[in-house]
């Protein structure tokens, strides 16, 4: 038993459909390759993660927590700071994150 039509008009129709489908698949492959290249490029040019973070309160002016860089509990209002700024914030009474415990890594007395 044959799985293709026997007559020329239907074979041409099938050929046209398969050509169109193959073009769409190739376009999707190209788009996926482009996305992957952009993802790899983004990883290469991403700036390094800061060593220390200070999380600002809702008002955006008062610091509420000091975090170790990369802490999963650091909120979106966090900014990277230098070690001395993190130490100064702890000395000024800003709370240390209870999850990442930055005072331990900073050598700050508890």
């Amino acid at each position: 038993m044959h799985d293709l039509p026997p007559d020329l008009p239907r074979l041409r129709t099938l050929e046209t459909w398969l050509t169109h489908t193959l073009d769409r698949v190739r376009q999707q492959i190209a788009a996926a390759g482009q996305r992957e290249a952009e993802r790899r490029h983004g990883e290469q040019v991403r700036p390094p993660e800061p060593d220390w973070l200070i999380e600002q309160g809702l008002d955006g002016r008062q610091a509420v927590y000091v975090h170790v860089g990369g802490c999963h509990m650091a909120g979106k209002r966090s900014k990277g700071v230098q070690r001395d700024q993190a130490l100064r914030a702890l000395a000024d009474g800003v709370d240390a994150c209870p999850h990442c415990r930055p005072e331990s890594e900073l050598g700050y007395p508890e």
Side-chain angles (χ1 to χ4, degrees):
M1 177 166 223
H2 299 316
D3 58 341
L4 294 175
D7 58 299
L8 189 59
R10 287 191 292 173
L11 286 169
R12 292 281 187 217
T13 300
L14 184 57
E15 177 186 37
T16 301
W17 181 81
L18 288 170
T19 301
H20 175 71
T21 302
L22 183 58
D23 288 343
R24 287 180 43 217
V25 168
R26 287 178 174 157
Q27 288 171 358
Q28 289 296 321
I29 289 170
Q34 179 66 31
R35 286 190 304 270
E36 179 64 20
E38 289 171 359
R39 184 193 63 75
R40 282 193 310 264
H41 176 71
E43 287 176 354
Q44 292 171 352
V45 299
R46 180 177 296 136
E49 192 172 83
D51 292 332
W52 312 104
L53 300 168
I54 293 184
E55 183 175 351
Q56 302 295 318
L58 291 175
D59 63 5
R61 291 177 287 201
Q62 185 175 359
V64 292
Y65 283 114
V66 176
H67 297 274
V68 172
C71 175
H72 68 280
M73 293 301 291
K76 293 185 182 210
R77 295 179 311 274
S78 299
K79 66 176 184 172
V81 296
Q82 298 294 322
R83 184 177 194 282
D84 62 328
Q85 291 172 296
L87 281 168
R88 192 172 330 119
L90 290 172
D92 290 344
V94 177
D95 291 334
C97 172
H99 296 274
C100 64
R101 312 275 308 172
E103 71 278 15
S104 299
E105 289 195 38
L106 285 165
Y108 188 79
E110 297 180 33

